[in-house]
């Protein structure tokens, strides 16, 4: 319940400060959560990244103001966070399908985007296989890249495609997808396509090693075609498992996905029995 309340408090905070220069970190700090997990959870529960949601609300309100008042377009642009008429016009037109000047002339349709309100609904009764397991620190080797929380959904699959297209799979198969935000309060995080590190092997050019600290992990089983099985479990972690969780809380800014060897399955990652896992570090409350 505390998790749901935190997200609703975040939505209320955004609405109260919609014309101010707020960031995802500001919202996370207001609800006393790490930015890393707050942004992941917000996206899972709300269907939008934090900044995408804020932009949509601002553009919807800007459209309503242009349609119902005599305010100058530049004044409305400045009020809702745009420094220039050009940037405002581009964003406004992408969102509404018409330009601000067309709205000012009248007789055009604009879009609404109402504020979200989370409601607790009766769920559960699902089978969600997980275990709590303490693991010693271990080292991985892989290729690292920094991603923005705002655009990671689009950019990370491209990273995987480029990784294999460039032939790096001959060095690292991709057993792990490792998310790291050590400070848990940034707009970016590090992501590695990685395998367990073999100290006797050379580290290829462009690859790095990273030691994952000792943690107690909540390990969730994801069985079925990937990535859908992982996406489904991730959704349930933030929408159902966390709100009901009483004994544990997040311990650090790590999240690991483990992918089984595709050669074991007739249909590879699309096999109905394909196994993967999500690891989240936790600690006793």
């Amino acid at each position: 319940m505390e998790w749901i309340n935190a997200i609703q408090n975040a939505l209320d905070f955004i609405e109260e400060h919609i014309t101010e220069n707020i960031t995802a970190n500001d919202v996370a700090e207001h609800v006393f959560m790490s930015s890393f997990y707050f942004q992941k959870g917000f996206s899972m529960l709300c269907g939008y990244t934090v900044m995408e949601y804020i932009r949509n609300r601002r553009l919807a309100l800007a459209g309503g103001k242009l349609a119902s008042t005599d305010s100058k377009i530049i004044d409305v642009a400045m009020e809702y966070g745009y420094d220039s008429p050009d940037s405002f016009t581009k964003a406004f037109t992408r969102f509404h399908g018409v330009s601000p000047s067309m709205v000012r002339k009248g007789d055009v349709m604009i879009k609404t985007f109402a504020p979200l309100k989370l409601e607790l609904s009766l769920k559960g009764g699902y089978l969600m296989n997980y275990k709590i397991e303490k693991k010693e620190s271990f080292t991985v080797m892989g290729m690292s890249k920094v991603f923005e929380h705002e655009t990671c959904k689009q950019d990370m699959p491209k990273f995987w495609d480029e990784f294999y297209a460039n032939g790096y799979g001959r060095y690292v198969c991709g057993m792990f997808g490792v998310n790291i935000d050590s400070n848990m309060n940034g707009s970016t995080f590090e992501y590695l396509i990685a395998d367990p590190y073999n100290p006797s092997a050379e580290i290829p050019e462009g690859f790095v090693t990273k030691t994952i600290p000792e943690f107690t992990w909540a390990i969730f089983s994801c069985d079925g075609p990937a990535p859908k099985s992982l996406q489904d479990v991730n959704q349930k972690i933030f929408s159902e498992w966390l709100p009901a969780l009483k004994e544990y809380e997040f311990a650090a800014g790590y999240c690991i996905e483990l992918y089984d060897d595709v050669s074991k399955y007739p249909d590879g990652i699309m096999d109905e029995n394909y196994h993967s896992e999500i690891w989240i570090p936790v600690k006793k409350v």
Side-chain angles (χ1 to χ4, degrees), residues 160-206:
W160 279 88
D161 290 343
E162 292 168 0
F163 180 86
Y164 289 118
N166 290 327
Y168 296 131
R170 65 183 182 273
Y171 303 118
V172 165
C173 296
M175 179 178 176
F176 296 115
V178 183
N179 300 258
I180 304 174
D181 181 2
S182 299
N183 295 323
M184 296 174 66
N185 62 359
S187 61
T188 63
F189 63 95
E190 182 181 10
Y191 183 82
L192 290 90
I193 300 173
D195 281 350
Y197 172 54
N198 179 1
S200 65
E202 290 188 12
I203 301 173
E205 184 177 354

Side-chain angles (χ1 to χ4, degrees), residues 182-233:
S182 299
N183 295 323
M184 296 174 66
N185 62 359
S187 61
T188 63
F189 63 95
E190 182 181 10
Y191 183 82
L192 290 90
I193 300 173
D195 281 350
Y197 172 54
N198 179 1
S200 65
E202 290 188 12
I203 301 173
E205 184 177 354
F207 284 72
V208 299
T209 61
K210 188 75 63 172
T211 298
I212 310 300
E214 177 182 293
F215 286 122
T216 297
W217 300 85
I219 300 177
F220 298 85
S221 179
C222 313
D223 295 304
K228 187 178 185 305
S229 58
L230 285 137
Q231 293 166 348
D232 289 347
V233 170

Side-chain angles (χ1 to χ4, degrees), residues 90-108:
K90 289 177 182 177
F92 189 97
T93 304
R94 280 197 302 269
F95 181 80
H96 287 285
V98 293
S99 68
S101 58
M102 292 173 68
V103 174
R104 177 46 45 84
K105 291 175 183 177
D107 200 27
V108 295

